[in-house]
Amino acid sequence: MEETIETVIVGGGQAGLALSYHLRALGREHLILERGRVAERWRSERWDSLTFQFPSWSIELPGHAYRGNDPEGFAPRDEVVRFLDAYRERIQAPVRTGVTVRAVRPKPGAPRFRVETDHGSYEAAHVVAATGPYQEPLLPAVSSALPPEVVQVHSSRYRNPGALPPGAVLVVGSGASGCQIVEDLLDAGRTVYLSVGRHRRVPRRYRGRDVFWWIREMGALDQTIAERPDGRQTPNPLVTGAGGGRDIDLRDYADRGVVLLGHLSGAAGQRLHFDDDLDAQLAKGDEGMTAFWKAADEHARRIGLETVPAEPDRPARPPLRRVTSPSELDLRAAGVTSLVWATGFRPDFSWIHLPALDAAGEPVHRRGVSPCAGLYFLGLPWLHKLKSSVLCGVGEDAQHLAERIASR
Ligand SMILES: Cc1cc2nc3c(=O)[nH]c(=O)nc-3n(C[C@H](O)[C@H](O)[C@H](O)COP(=O)(O)OP(=O)(O)OC[C@H]3O[C@@H](n4cnc5c(N)ncnc54)[C@H](O)[C@@H]3O)c2cc1C
């Protein structure tokens, strides 16, 4: 039997819940279908020691904000799960868990959709894909050329150092995930190699405020994709909330014994090859820091932020220490038994059988509204603004979609 629901939301993370809040406020019938549990990605697709990148005062969804006693601290994974659980409870979101959506198709003879799941099917006038910004692991082609005895794991499957076999670990990728994993491994006394990629450093704190305060204060969170057409290609700011929150300088990892390597370019048996681009990558990462300082100083001057003290200790530019990096690594000789791919994710909307995807499988939309009447996307990076995929930012797009749905 097919159940009829006005709006089906696919995905029970922050985006799906925020939309539920706004649809309920407008009195619209809806149902969230979630393949796992609410906040499943935080529960089972992140490592044990994961810490939020932004301070806890930024933890906020429509109608519900962080109420803990450490707003300047950084929430561990389990606290984020608790927040989302409490939110679901508070807004009484109608969620059906353990239901995987396998396909969404046009319903023959009606301007509606057929939503097929592993537990029956639904008929809906509106479908919203809220399946997250981080969907399928993205692995470089070289992953298939590695010797079979090296254990390979994507960051979404990495749990803790003890779950990897004894021996040295090669981490590929130096974004927020790669760096948190490197630190996790170092803290456990593991020998670590890090293949460095594109990254953009920012200071954890500047002139007495957290970087997230500055990003919000300078209006960057509200910049739209039309104003920042390069937004989706720009690396996210590299900063960590681990250990109470601190800057990340990859050269410090070298001081802690990590062997820094350039971009992983190929493999032949036990030998891996790396581009000679480490210095260039580190320098590019530093440019983010310099650009941030400049923009923050200009902003402070422009709006006369007298309450923010000047930063007397800020160096004129980041230290330009050189780090030596080998161009080849013999995995066996180096004792490398496992490799963590912190190489990001790709979208997977293959379950959407409607003309709303481009040739690369990327969703086609304008502020989440697809060209296919009644189909929407939510929670994607730069869906509309920089903050579109951020916990405290997704609510605005959710409200926009809820109003569109209610007005149809
Ligand atoms: C190291 C790190 C630090 C971070 N720090 C911050 C931070 O400080 N602040 C911040 O705002 N964000 C942070 N993030 C980002 C945050 O994790 C994501 O932006 C957030 O999880 C996105 O929420 P979402 O609801 O859009 O998607 P998800 O949380 O991915 O939710 C999507 C849901 O859809 C479900 N689903 C997928 N496919 C189907 C299907 N076919 N059928 C049914 N259900 C399906 C999934 O199980 C999942 O539960 C961080 C991420 C990382 C990795």
Side-chain angles (χ1 to χ4, degrees), residues 210-370:
D210 189 86
V211 68
F212 193 72
W213 181 89
W214 283 101
I215 291 173
R216 191 186 62 176
E217 175 63 34
M218 291 192 284
L221 284 179
D222 282 307
Q223 278 186 327
T224 65
I225 187 68
E227 292 162 335
R228 283 282 315 279
D230 63 333
R232 292 192 184 114
Q233 282 73 48
T234 307
N236 290 324
L238 181 58
V239 71
T240 185
R246 53 176 176 261
D247 294 5
I248 295 179
D249 182 348
L250 302 183
R251 298 172 188 88
D252 293 341
Y253 293 165
D255 292 345
R256 289 181 70 188
V258 175
V259 178
L260 298 182
L261 301 152
H263 184 260
L264 174 58
S265 55
Q270 293 289 334
R271 300 190 89 75
L272 300 189
H273 302 282
F274 298 89
D275 290 338
D276 181 22
D277 64 350
L278 177 63
D279 275 330
Q281 296 290 6
L282 294 175
K284 271 217 147 323
D286 291 342
E287 281 171 18
M289 187 73 100
T290 320
F292 175 86
W293 285 335
K294 189 163 171 272
D297 284 344
E298 271 168 17
H299 184 77
R301 224 178 353 258
R302 198 163 45 242
I303 62 167
L305 273 181
E306 279 116 27
T307 51
V308 182
E311 186 97 338
D313 297 335
R314 161 156 101 60
R317 57 177 195 165
L320 292 178
R321 276 178 286 147
R322 264 192 76 83
V323 177
T324 50
S325 110
S327 62
E328 255 191 30
L329 180 68
D330 184 312
L331 293 172
R332 192 171 296 138
V336 173
T337 55
S338 54
L339 188 154
V340 181
W341 296 108
T343 39
F345 296 80
R346 63 176 178 79
D348 178 13
F349 293 109
S350 54
W351 48 276
I352 296 182
H353 300 272
L354 295 157
L357 307 175
D358 67 13
E362 297 274 357
V364 179
H365 67 86
R366 215 188 165 118
R367 199 171 177 186
V369 180
S370 88

Side-chain angles (χ1 to χ4, degrees), residues 11 13-15 34-35 41-42 46 52-54 101 132 389 391:
Q14 64 199 32
E34 164 57 51
R35 66 182 170 185
R41 287 207 208 275
W42 288 99
R46 306 267 194 268
F52 230 39
Q53 263 187 299
F54 302 134
V101 172
S389 60
L391 192 58

Side-chain angles (χ1 to χ4, degrees), residues 10-16 33-42 45-47 50-54 58 99-102 130-134 176-177 180 351 378-379 389-392:
V10 187
Q14 64 199 32
L33 300 179
E34 164 57 51
R35 66 182 170 185
R37 294 157 288 179
V38 161
E40 187 58 46
R41 287 207 208 275
W42 288 99
E45 296 184 34
R46 306 267 194 268
W47 52 98
L50 184 142
T51 311
F52 230 39
Q53 263 187 299
F54 302 134
S58 75
V99 180
T100 301
V101 172
R102 300 242 191 260
T131 48
Y134 305 125
S177 299
Q180 281 204 12
W351 48 276
L378 182 61
S389 60
V390 175
L391 192 58
C392 62

Side-chain angles (χ1 to χ4, degrees), residues 45-301:
E45 296 184 34
R46 306 267 194 268
W47 52 98
D48 298 344
S49 66
L50 184 142
T51 311
F52 230 39
Q53 263 187 299
F54 302 134
S56 294
W57 54 257
S58 75
I59 297 180
E60 184 177 7
L61 282 169
H64 189 50
Y66 173 86
R67 287 222 178 76
N69 52 12
D70 188 14
E72 291 294 334
F74 300 90
R77 184 187 72 164
D78 293 349
E79 196 172 336
V80 180
V81 172
R82 279 197 297 277
F83 176 82
L84 292 171
D85 271 341
Y87 186 61
R88 181 237 172 134
E89 192 66 34
R90 184 182 176 132
I91 67 170
Q92 291 290 297
V95 188
R96 226 163 260 178
T97 53
V99 180
T100 301
V101 172
R102 300 242 191 260
V104 176
R105 310 176 192 282
K107 174 131 181 117
R112 297 171 75 83
F113 301 109
R114 188 181 152 86
V115 181
E116 297 165 10
T117 81
D118 57 351
H119 286 76
S121 58
Y122 298 80
E123 183 185 320
H126 313 273
V127 172
V128 184
T131 48
Y134 305 125
Q135 297 178 2
E136 286 298 307
L138 182 65
L139 298 181
V142 63
S143 63
S144 55
L146 294 179
E149 62 271 23
V150 173
V151 171
Q152 299 184 46
V153 53
H154 185 262
S155 60
S156 59
R157 302 271 175 272
Y158 170 80
R159 290 292 156 270
N160 53 58
L164 297 179
V169 186
L170 168 61
V171 177
V172 180
S174 52
S177 299
C179 289
Q180 281 204 12
I181 291 170
V182 164
E183 294 187 13
D184 202 32
L185 292 163
L186 284 177
D187 290 347
R190 302 294 286 259
T191 300
V192 182
Y193 293 78
L194 172 64
S195 169
V196 174
R198 284 176 70 216
H199 61 280
R200 182 165 63 96
R201 296 177 59 215
V202 290
R204 175 73 274 171
R205 290 180 76 76
Y206 185 56
R207 295 178 70 163
R209 306 284 186 154
D210 189 86
V211 68
F212 193 72
W213 181 89
W214 283 101
I215 291 173
R216 191 186 62 176
E217 175 63 34
M218 291 192 284
L221 284 179
D222 282 307
Q223 278 186 327
T224 65
I225 187 68
E227 292 162 335
R228 283 282 315 279
D230 63 333
R232 292 192 184 114
Q233 282 73 48
T234 307
N236 290 324
L238 181 58
V239 71
T240 185
R246 53 176 176 261
D247 294 5
I248 295 179
D249 182 348
L250 302 183
R251 298 172 188 88
D252 293 341
Y253 293 165
D255 292 345
R256 289 181 70 188
V258 175
V259 178
L260 298 182
L261 301 152
H263 184 260
L264 174 58
S265 55
Q270 293 289 334
R271 300 190 89 75
L272 300 189
H273 302 282
F274 298 89
D275 290 338
D276 181 22
D277 64 350
L278 177 63
D279 275 330
Q281 296 290 6
L282 294 175
K284 271 217 147 323
D286 291 342
E287 281 171 18
M289 187 73 100
T290 320
F292 175 86
W293 285 335
K294 189 163 171 272
D297 284 344
E298 271 168 17
H299 184 77
R301 224 178 353 258

